[in-house]
C-alpha cells in the first residue's frame, strides 16, 4: 500500500513537471516581438529593457537566425504564446500570413507614416495590414578614393574626370574595363568584388539585380499604376531587358577580383571584405553594408569617400535612373493575439518610432532611415551610405527604382534563377538557358 | 517477480513512455495527417485529400531526381563504409602497437557534427580544386564524390567499433580449432570470422543505410544541392519544398511521408535478409 502511494506520488510529480514545462503562465499583455534582423538583436533587447523601465510593460524579443525568419515564424505562431509583433516581407509575405495580420488602419503609428502608399493594403484595397518601418537602398557602392586615383592616371582611354559624369552603361563599361587593365597601377585585384554565387548568397543577383530590368518591364504595363502590383499580377514574363541584365552581370563577372569558375564558393561576406580592404573598387550592395565594411579588420575605406552609383545596364532613359530604394521590412500585429496584447504592441511600436528615447535608439543604434514623419532631418542616421540613400531620395532630377522584387513569385524562383546564374558563369549553361529559367520558372511558380 | 515488475512499471517506464508519446508518436501521427492538408502553421490545417501526393510527382521532377541521387549515394557509401570499417577492425584487433590510439583517432570524426564536417570538407575540397581553377560546385560529380568521402570519414570509425566488438566476441577456441585443423588466414576469415560477426553486419548495414538515406546537414553544408539541384539529396529536397514556396508545406510533408515509408521498407528488408545469415556459434 505504502509503495503504491509512493509510486503514485512520483507519477503525479512527473506529470506535473511535464505540464508545468510546457504551459508557462501568461502574464497580462506581454509583448512578444519576433525580430528579423540578427544584426540588431542586442539593440532590440536593450530597447525592450528600456521600455519596461519606462512603461512597465514587458517586451520579449526573439531573433530568428539569418535567413530563417519564415521557418521561425511558422513554428512560433503555432504556439500558445505566439508573437504579437512579427514581420512580413511584402505583398507576397502578406498573402501567406494574412490570417494573422490585424487591420491597423486606425493606429497612431500608421498616422505617422509619411507616404501612406507604402503600407500593405488588404486584397480589396481596404484596411492596412502591415506598415514599413525602414527604408533601404542599394546600387553599386564605389570607393571614391580609388576612382579618384584612376582619374588622376595619365594614359586613360577616356577623358572623364569624375564619377559624376558616369550616367550610362556605356560610360561605366568604358571606365571599368580600363580600370581592370590598370589594376596593378591602382593596387587592386579587380574592379568588382566577387559575384558571390554560393548557395544562399545569390540574392544580390537573382533578387536585387533582377529587380532593375523587371521594374522597367512592369512599369511599361499600362494596366496597373503600381509596378509592384503589375508584377504580382504578371502570370508570365517577357524578360524584355534580358540583354541589358546580361550586360551588367557580365561586367561584374568579367572584371572581378575572382576568376569566373571560383565564384560558386564566394559569399557576400567575402565580397564585402574584398571591398573593405581595397582589393576592389566597386561592389553591388545596399546601405546595410556599411556596418559590414566597418567590421572588417584592416579596412581602409574612407567614410567620406564611399558613394552609390545607380545600376546602369543600358536601358534607354537610364541617365535619369537613381538607385533602388524600397523596403522588405513591414511590421504586422498578430490578429489572433488578445485585445490587450494587440493594444500593447501598437503602443510599443508607436513609442519606438515617436518618443524621444525610442527615436534615439532608431537613429543612433539601429541606423534606420524610417518612413515616419516623426523624424526630423537632424534625426537621420549618420552612416555614409544611409546619407547617400537620403541624397538619392531627395534628388528630384533622378528617378529612384522601387523594390518590385517583393512581387517575385517564391523563394524557389529566386533559388532557381541563382543556380542558373551559377551554371552560366561556370560555363555549363548558356545565357539563353538562364533567360529561359527566368521566364519559365516565373510561370510555373506563379501558377 | 512479475508482481513487483507490475508495481514498479509506472515509476520506471512512465517518464519514457510520456516522452515517447510527446516526441515521437504524436508528431508521427500529426505528420501523416498534415500530409493530407493544406496548411501554413501546424495548428490550422484544412483537409485536401491526396492532392499533395499527386503534386509530389506532377509539379516537377525534383523528388525523383533527388531520390535517384540519394540511391546512387547510398549504394556506394554503404559498401565503402562497411568494407573500410571491417578492414580497419581486422587490423586493429591483431594487437598492433598503439591499437587504442588508432581506435580513438578513427572514431573521433564521429564526434563532430554534420554541419561542421560539411564546411570543413568544403574548405578542403575547394582548397584542392582551386589549384585547377574549379570549385566544388563546378561539376555535380565533385559534390557526389565529396559527399561519399565525407560520409566515409564520419561513419567508418563508428562502424569499426561495432565490428571490433563483434570480432572480439568470437570464442578463441573456435579460432584455435581452425588453426589446429590447418585453416589458413583467408579460410579463417571467410569461414569463421565473417559468419561469426554477422550480427554486427546487420547493425552496421542498418545504420549506414538509414544514415545515408536521411543525410541532411552534411549535404546542406557541403553543396546545398549546387550546381542546380544536381547534388540535392532527398531530405534536403523535402526541406526546400516545405519552405520554398507558399502553399507547398503539405507537399513537403507528403514527400516526407513517402520517404519515411520507403526507408522503413528498405531497412526492414535488409534486417530480414541479414538476420537469416546470422549463425549461432
Amino acid at each position: 500500500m505504502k509503495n503504491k502511494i509512493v509510486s503514485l506520488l512520483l507519477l503525479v510529480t512527473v506529470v506535473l513537471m511535464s505540464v508545468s514545462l510546457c504551459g508557462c503562465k501568461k502574464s497580462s499583455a506581454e509583448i512578444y516581438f519576433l525580430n528579423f534582423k540578427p544584426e540588431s538583436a542586442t539593440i532590440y533587447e536593450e530597447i525592450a529593457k528600456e521600455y519596461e523601465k519606462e512603461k512597465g510593460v514587458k517586451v520579449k524579443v526573439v531573433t530568428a537566425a539569418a535567413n530563417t525568419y519564415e521557418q521561425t515564424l511558422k513554428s512560433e505562431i503555432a504556439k500558445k504564446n505566439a508573437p504579437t509583433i512579427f514581420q512580413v516581407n511584402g505583398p507576397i509575405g502578406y498573402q501567406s500570413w494574412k490570417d494573422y495580420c490585424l487591420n491597423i488602419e486606425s493606429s497612431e503609428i500608421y498616422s505617422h507614416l509619411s507616404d501612406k502608399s507604402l503600407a500593405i493594403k488588404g486584397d480589396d484595397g481596404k484596411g492596412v495590414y502591415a506598415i514599413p518601418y525602414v527604408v533601404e537602398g542599394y546600387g553599386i557602392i564605389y570607393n571614391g578614393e580609388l576612382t579618384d586615383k584612376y582619374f588622376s592616371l595619365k594614359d586613360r582611354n577616356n577623358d572623364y574626370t569624375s564619377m559624376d559624369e558616369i550616367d550610362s552603361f556605356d560610360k561605366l563599361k568604358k571606365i571599368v574595363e580600363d580600370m581592370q587593365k590598370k589594376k596593378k597601377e591602382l593596387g587592386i585585384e579587380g574592379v568588382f568584388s566577387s559575384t558571390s554565387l554560393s548557395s544562399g548568397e545569390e540574392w544580390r543577383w537573382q533578387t536585387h539585380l533582377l529587380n532593375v530590368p523587371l521594374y522597367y518591364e512592369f512599369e511599361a504595363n499600362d494596366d496597373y499604376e503600381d509596378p509592384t502590383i503589375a508584377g504580382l499580377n504578371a502570370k508570365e514574363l517577357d524578360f524584355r531587358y534580358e540583354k541589358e541584365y546580361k550586360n551588367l552581370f557580365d561586367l561584374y563577372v568579367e572584371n572581378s577580383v575572382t576568376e569566373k569558375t571560383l565564384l560558386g564558393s564566394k559569399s557576400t561576406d567575402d565580397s564585402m571584405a574584398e571591398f573593405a580592404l581595397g582589393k576592389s573598387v566597386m561592389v553591388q550592395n545596399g546601405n546595410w553594408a556599411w556596418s559590414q565594411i566597418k567590421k572588417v579588420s584592416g579596412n581602409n575605406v574612407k567614410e567620406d569617400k564611399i558613394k552609390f552609383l545607380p545600376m546602369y545596364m543600358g536601358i534607354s532613359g537610364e541617365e535619369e535612373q537613381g538607385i533602388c530604394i524600397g523596403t522588405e521590412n513591414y511590421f504586422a500585429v498578430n490578429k489572433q493575439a488578445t485585445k490587450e496584447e494587440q493594444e500593447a504592441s501598437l503602443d510599443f511600436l508607436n513609442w519606438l518610432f515617436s518618443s524621444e528615447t525610442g527615436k534615439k535608439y532608431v537613429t543612433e543604434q539601429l541606423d534606420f532611415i524610417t518612413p515616419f514623419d516623426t523624424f526630423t532631418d537632424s534625426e537621420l542616421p549618420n552612416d555614409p551610405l544611409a546619407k547617400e540613400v537620403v541624397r538619392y531620395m531627395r534628388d528630384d532630377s533622378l528617378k529612384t527604382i522601387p523594390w518590385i522584387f517583393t512581387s517575385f513569385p517564391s523563394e524557389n524562383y529566386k533559388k532557381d534563377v541563382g543556380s542558373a546564374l551559377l551554371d552560366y558563369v561556370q560555363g555549363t549553361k548558356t545565357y539563353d538557358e538562364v533567360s529561359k529559367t527566368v521566364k519559365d520558372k516565373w510561370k510555373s511558380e506563379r501558377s | 517477480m512479475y508482481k513487483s515488475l507490475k508495481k514498479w512499471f509506472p515509476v520506471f517506464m512512465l517518464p519514457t513512455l510520456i516522452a515517447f508519446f510527446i516526441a515521437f508518436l504524436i508528431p508521427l501521427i500529426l505528420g501523416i495527417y498534415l500530409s493530407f492538408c493544406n496548411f501554413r502553421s501546424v495548428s490550422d490545417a484544412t483537409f485536401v485529400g491526396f492532392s499533395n501526393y499527386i503534386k509530389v510527382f506532377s509539379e516537377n521532377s525534383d523528388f525523383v531526381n533527388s531520390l535517384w541521387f540519394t540511391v546512387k549515394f547510398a549504394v556506394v557509401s554503404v559498401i565503402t563504409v562497411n568494407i573500410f570499417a571491417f578492414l580497419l577492425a581486422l587490423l586493429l584487433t591483431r594487437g598492433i602497437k598503439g591499437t587504442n590510439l588508432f581506435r580513438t583517432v578513427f572514431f573521433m570524426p564521429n564526434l563532430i557534427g554534420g554541419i561542421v564536417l560539411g564546411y570543413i570538407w568544403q574548405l578542403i575540397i575547394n582548397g584542392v580544386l582551386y589549384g585547377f581553377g574549379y570549385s566544388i560546385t563546378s561539376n555535380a560529380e565533385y559534390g557526389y564524390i565529396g559527399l561519399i568521402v565525407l560520409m566515409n570519414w564520419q561513419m567508418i570509425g563508428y562502424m569499426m567499433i561495432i565490428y571490433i566488438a563483434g570480432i572480439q566476441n568470437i570464442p578463441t577456441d573456435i579460432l584455435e580449432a581452425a588453426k589446429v585443423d590447418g585453416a589458413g588466414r583467408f579460410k579463417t576469415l571467410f569461414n569463421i570470422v565473417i559468419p561469426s560477426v554477422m550480427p554486427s553486419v546487420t547493425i552496421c548495414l542498418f545504420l549506414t543505410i538509414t544514415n545515408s538515406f536521411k543525410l541532411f546537414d552534411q549535404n546542406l553544408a557541403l553543396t546545398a544541392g549546387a550546381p542546380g539541384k544536381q547534388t540535392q539529396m532527398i531530405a534536403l529536397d523535402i526541406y526546400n519544398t516545405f519552405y520554398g514556396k507558399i502553399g507547398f508545406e503539405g507537399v513537403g510533408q507528403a514527400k516526407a511521408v513517402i520517404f519515411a515509408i520507403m526507408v522503413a521498407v528498405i531497412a526492414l528488408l535488409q534486417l530480414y535478409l541479414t538476420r537469416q545469415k546470422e549463425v549461432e556459434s
Side-chain angles (χ1 to χ4, degrees), chain A residues 67-226:
Chain A
N67 290 327
T68 61
Y69 194 80
E70 284 290 304
Q71 286 95 310
T72 315
L73 182 57
K74 232 172 232 182
S75 57
E76 287 297 306
I77 208 123
K79 291 183 182 165
K80 207 168 130 210
N81 286 336
T84 59
I85 306 172
F86 62 95
Q87 162 161 355
V88 293
N89 63 4
I92 294 271
Y94 166 68
Q95 283 305 320
S96 83
W97 294 107
K98 60 179 167 190
D99 295 345
Y100 295 93
C101 293
L102 180 77
N103 183 355
I104 42 181
E105 196 169 7
S106 55
S107 67
E108 202 179 333
I109 183 81
Y110 175 66
S111 71
H112 287 310
L113 188 68
S114 32
D115 182 356
K116 300 276 193 270
S117 71
L118 289 173
I120 294 180
K121 310 267 184 332
D123 291 336
D124 51 359
K126 284 193 194 104
V128 172
Y129 294 91
I131 46 176
Y133 63 91
V134 56
V135 178
E136 293 169 313
Y138 65 85
I140 300 171
I141 302 173
Y142 66 90
N143 185 338
E145 209 181 358
L146 290 171
T147 52
D148 287 350
K149 195 169 168 190
Y150 167 72
F151 288 119
S152 70
L153 293 179
K154 290 262 149 52
D155 54 341
R156 281 175 289 127
N157 70 349
N158 56 62
D159 41 10
Y160 304 125
T161 53
S162 88
M163 285 304 280
D164 297 334
E165 289 170 46
I166 311 301
D167 59 359
S168 72
F169 176 71
D170 291 334
K171 294 180 189 171
L172 178 66
K173 188 175 161 121
K174 212 165 188 180
I175 64 157
V176 165
E177 287 178 345
D178 198 33
M179 263 195 250
Q180 182 77 8
K181 274 195 208 118
K182 302 187 169 51
K183 58 182 179 184
K184 281 233 174 66
E185 295 164 72
L186 292 169
I188 55 171
E189 289 175 21
V191 178
F192 285 103
S193 284
S194 305
T195 308
S196 62
L197 282 166
S198 71
S199 176
E201 303 283 346
E202 316 101 324
W203 48 270
R204 286 188 290 151
W205 330 112
Q206 30 88 319
T207 308
H208 287 177
L209 184 58
L210 192 56
N211 184 66
V212 179
L214 294 189
Y215 162 73
Y216 281 102
E217 178 166 339
F218 295 149
E219 200 220 6
N221 184 343
D222 290 333
D223 297 345
Y224 302 95
E225 206 173 309
D226 185 340

Side-chain angles (χ1 to χ4, degrees), chain A residues 71 74 261 265 415 426 445, chain B residues 130 133 137 239 243 245 249:
Chain A
Q71 286 95 310
K74 232 172 232 182
T261 44
S265 61
K415 238 183 218 170
Q426 289 180 166
E445 288 294 313
Chain B
Y130 272 3
T137 55
Y239 175 83
Y243 291 113
K245 186 176 175 185
E249 290 86 351

